[in-house]
Amino acid sequence: MSEPTVTRALKSQVGGHKGVTTTEDESLIIKPALPLEVNFYQTLNSESTFAPLRPFVPNFIGTLKLEGEIAGNSANGGSVVIQTTSNKKESIVLENLSHPFLKPNILDIKLGTVLYDEDAPLDKKERMIKTAQQTTSFETGIRLTGFQVYDNETQQPVITPKSYGKSIKSSDLPDGIARFFPVGSGHTTSSSSGLPLKLLLPILSGVRDDVAEIREVMAALELRMVAGSLLVIYEADWARAEEMLKCGYVVEEEEEEEDEEESDEDEKKKNGPPFVVKLIDFAHTRVATGEGPDEGVLKGIDTVLRLIDGRIRELE
């Protein structure tokens, strides 16, 4: 057997519990998982009912065996070996969504108005109900769990911790979205972060389209997603963002000529996407046959759509 790969803490984690690690090349993440989350990913990949949701969930590679091997293949087709630890808790192995980006701006939005499992102890239910009511979760269906935005001067990410999202009111959410989608120098702002307006607007529009698609898919599924999140990542490097947008998106309504030697699809794979929008964190997600869609999650997604629409109107 080959030498085990040393794992490291995931540097780009802005929300969720500690303990998520990444492989040495940072293409995969290893996350300790509860049985419900393992079951969710297995159901997602095996049942056709959930096929429409698959494009909006991280690629599931497999589970981590106790001897330290991944039950699946890596992105390049080879078997990945992970360093064995004393933690015997089963882990899931997923694609690292931030890996294709040079400077990933990352936002974790906790979805839903209910933050507890149906079988949770009474004291935990009461505590989670209080948490939802004291934050933006109960009223809007979302909480800004945390985010990072790269500073154009220092070239380092500036992290806004989860304490920010827990402290703000619903009326402050537009400001939170503006902080995550700032406009770089050249616009009417003193921010040292952000993309130029000509790049930010098409990214906002694309993110909005993906969120709307996720809303449509979730409205047709009978799931209960407790404490799950909507993850938004977009490229903060100006040159890279412009290059990626030109591969598959319109910048300032100017169509790029097709490259005869390399197709647009090949170029996208080479450079990665300008942004991604995915649902993550399914530790408390269950199939809810006969119960209809999760209205609390849909409420949260509707809030996200309104916030993005508002940010677009501010910038147009």
Side-chain angles (χ1 to χ4, degrees):
M1 181 179 292
S2 58
E3 289 296 318
T5 299
V6 177
T7 61
R8 62 187 71 176
L10 180 63
K11 293 184 294 185
S12 58
Q13 184 177 0
V14 298
H17 297 289
K18 295 181 180 180
V20 179
T21 58
T22 182
T23 50
E24 195 168 16
D25 66 357
E26 299 186 345
S27 65
L28 302 174
I29 65 169
I30 301 97
K31 177 189 175 186
L34 295 173
L36 266 180
E37 188 159 24
V38 175
N39 182 67
F40 168 79
Y41 275 105
Q42 292 172 340
T43 301
L44 177 72
N45 286 280
S46 63
E47 295 191 13
S48 59
T49 302
F50 300 101
L53 187 59
R54 292 172 194 162
F56 301 107
V57 172
N59 185 29
F60 174 62
I61 308 301
T63 57
L64 193 64
K65 295 180 180 179
L66 291 179
E67 64 264 32
E69 292 184 355
I70 294 175
N73 293 326
S74 68
N76 61 12
S79 178
V80 179
V81 181
I82 307 298
Q83 184 180 40
T84 304
T85 68
S86 59
N87 183 5
K88 299 300 182 181
K89 191 174 184 179
E90 188 172 24
S91 295
I92 53 175
V93 183
L94 307 169
E95 65 172 319
N96 181 2
L97 296 171
S98 65
H99 183 248
F101 297 86
L102 284 181
K103 299 174 184 175
N105 285 350
I106 306 172
L107 170 64
D108 184 307
I109 305 174
K110 188 176 292 294
L111 294 174
T113 56
V114 177
L115 306 180
Y116 57 86
D117 287 325
E118 59 178 2
D119 57 352
L122 180 60
D123 61 334
K124 183 173 183 179
K125 287 183 179 180
E126 292 175 345
R127 188 170 68 253
M128 291 296 98
I129 290 172
K130 185 177 181 180
T131 297
Q133 292 174 339
Q134 291 179 339
T135 62
T136 56
S137 291
F138 184 76
E139 182 179 348
T140 69
I142 72 167
R143 188 172 81 231
L144 304 183
T145 308
F147 54 90
Q148 71 172 36
V149 177
Y150 270 79
D151 187 292
N152 293 328
E153 296 178 0
T154 66
Q155 303 298 309
Q156 296 297 318
V158 177
I159 297 176
T160 299
K162 61 182 179 181
S163 57
Y164 168 77
K166 286 185 174 182
S167 67
I168 64 174
K169 299 178 181 179
S170 299
S171 58
D172 299 319
L173 286 171
D175 178 66
I177 292 299
R179 288 189 184 199
F180 180 64
F181 290 108
V183 183
S185 59
H187 192 64
T188 55
T189 177
S190 59
S191 174
S192 63
S193 301
L195 293 172
L197 192 60
K198 71 172 185 177
L199 302 180
L200 184 60
L201 277 175
I203 284 178
L204 273 166
S205 179
V207 168
R208 201 259 181 221
D209 289 345
D210 279 5
V211 174
E213 284 193 56
I214 290 173
R215 204 268 183 215
E216 183 177 351
V217 170
M218 290 297 289
L221 294 177
E222 294 185 309
L223 288 173
R224 288 299 175 270
M225 184 179 176
V226 176
S229 291
L230 185 74
L231 189 74
V232 180
I233 307 175
Y234 71 96
E235 182 59 65
D237 183 85
W238 289 24
R240 182 69 173 269
E242 183 168 16
E243 180 183 7
M244 291 189 294
L245 281 167
K246 286 181 177 179
C247 289
Y249 296 83
V250 177
V251 180
E252 291 188 321
E253 300 183 354
E254 293 181 1
E255 294 285 353
E256 295 297 315
E257 294 183 3
E258 184 176 351
D259 189 336
E260 295 180 358
E261 296 182 359
E262 187 170 42
S263 70
D264 286 347
E265 188 62 28
D266 288 339
E267 188 69 17
K268 285 182 188 178
K269 290 179 181 179
K270 175 183 175 182
N271 293 327
F275 62 87
V276 295
V277 183
K278 302 281 186 178
L279 292 171
I280 62 169
D281 293 341
F282 302 101
H284 305 283
T285 296
R286 63 179 177 85
V287 177
T289 304
E291 298 180 30
D294 192 321
E295 296 296 340
V297 168
L298 294 180
K299 181 177 184 177
I301 296 174
D302 287 338
T303 298
V304 174
L305 288 171
R306 287 195 297 271
L307 289 169
I308 295 175
D309 286 341
R311 184 57 175 155
I312 291 174
R313 286 194 299 270
E314 288 176 354
L315 299 177
E316 285 182 332

